């Protein structure tokens, strides 16, 4: 079973986005995206919604 960070990283790569590009779309620095992908931090509900919109994926896909 994959983690939130792995699912986020895979969705970002499918869209061809860098961490910085995704961070700009959701109002978060690239290091914040790195923390989400590594599992060091989890995004707030509002950031999860912003991630789903920016990546054009469902929340179910990211949350598992």
């Amino acid at each position: 079973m994959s983690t939130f960070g792995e699912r986020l990283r895979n969705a970002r790569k499918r869209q061809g986005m860098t961490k910085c590009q995704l961070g700009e779309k959701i109002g978060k620095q690239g290091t914040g995206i790195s923390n989400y992908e590594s599992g060091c931090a989890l995004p707030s509900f509002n950031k999860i919604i912003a991630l789903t919109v920016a990546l054009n994926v469902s929340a179910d896909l990211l949350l598992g």
Side-chain angles (χ1 to χ4, degrees):
M1 178 156 214
S2 60
T3 65
F4 173 82
E6 292 168 332
R7 292 186 297 270
L8 175 60
R9 183 175 34 258
N10 290 337
R12 178 180 57 79
K13 287 183 178 183
R14 277 194 304 274
Q15 292 296 325
M17 284 186 198
T18 66
K19 292 174 191 173
C20 291
Q21 289 170 327
L22 179 56
E24 287 174 9
K25 284 190 167 225
I26 69 163
K28 186 85 173 164
Q29 292 183 342
T31 54
I33 302 299
S34 291
N35 287 337
Y36 296 161
E37 289 185 357
S38 68
C40 292
L42 290 175
S44 67
F45 179 75
N46 290 339
K47 288 295 183 201
I48 290 172
I49 298 303
L51 287 166
T52 62
V53 170
L55 295 169
N56 195 30
V57 298
S58 70
D60 288 341
L61 182 122
L62 287 182
L63 297 174

